[in-house]
Amino acid sequence: APALEDYEYDAMLRELEEDLKLPLRIRDDENGKPYLSGSKLHFSLSHSGPFVACAVSDRPVGVDIQKRGPCRASILRRCMTDDEQAFILSSPDPESAFIRIWTGKESYGKALGIGLQIPLREVSVLQLPGEAALWHRASPEFQISLCTLSGKADPDSVREIRLP
């Protein structure tokens, strides 16, 4: 039987096919990032626990969703820049600040097409280069971050789909 995450991805892609009214042929580029063959659309997928996120754009895009969890000092030191560490540690809610920064890093790496190959200790999502823009949404259960490289992240175009 397929893993739950395979079912979630398949369901999300079927929904996307219906919205776009075109068949989706997914391929991987040289870095392993999936793309839609024969289309100028870009997309990004993420899952964590029971949550799945998909972003589609006419420009490079990255999305990450994470189930909320504790802020771990070892990850903080190993993966965050000095300004990100200071931001997290000075926050009234370090757990929320940590997951916001972490999902921002993952979504930025995905938008670039290299995922977590970005130099985590050197790239601060508090000061992204160029026209990169981040959009965040949080709930008590999860944090989602969306990154575009075009300077726009439109929260009005986000919709929630509940799967059975």
Side-chain angles (χ1 to χ4, degrees), residues 51 66-69 93 95-96 99 137-143:
F51 305 107
Q66 294 287 326
K67 190 174 179 182
R68 293 179 65 115
D93 184 357
E95 181 182 288
S96 292
I99 198 75
R137 178 177 173 204
S139 82
E141 295 117 356
F142 69 89
Q143 168 74 43

Side-chain angles (χ1 to χ4, degrees), residues 41 70 86 95 101 108:
L41 292 174
E95 181 182 288
I101 298 292
Y108 179 60

Side-chain angles (χ1 to χ4, degrees), residues 73 130 133 156 158 160:
D156 293 332
V158 174
E160 185 174 329

Side-chain angles (χ1 to χ4, degrees), residues 33 44-46 61-64 106-115:
K33 179 177 169 105
S44 180
L45 292 170
S46 180
V61 64
V63 69
D64 187 51
E106 282 211 40
S107 65
Y108 179 60
K110 287 179 177 185
L112 291 173
I114 58 174

Side-chain angles (χ1 to χ4, degrees), residues 77-152:
R77 287 189 303 273
R78 191 175 69 240
C79 300
M80 305 294 173
T81 64
D82 292 341
D83 66 327
E84 290 168 336
Q85 289 181 47
F87 175 81
I88 292 165
L89 294 173
S90 67
S91 171
D93 184 357
E95 181 182 288
S96 292
F98 171 79
I99 198 75
R100 182 181 177 114
I101 298 292
W102 182 258
T103 58
K105 280 186 182 283
E106 282 211 40
S107 65
Y108 179 60
K110 287 179 177 185
L112 291 173
I114 58 174
L116 288 178
Q117 295 176 32
I118 63 171
L120 296 172
R121 286 274 301 139
E122 297 171 24
V123 175
S124 172
V125 295
L126 298 174
Q127 302 170 18
L128 286 175
E131 292 190 17
L134 280 172
W135 171 84
H136 303 278
R137 178 177 173 204
S139 82
E141 295 117 356
F142 69 89
Q143 168 74 43
I144 185 170
S145 292
L146 172 84
C147 182
T148 69
L149 302 179
S150 65
K152 304 183 264 187

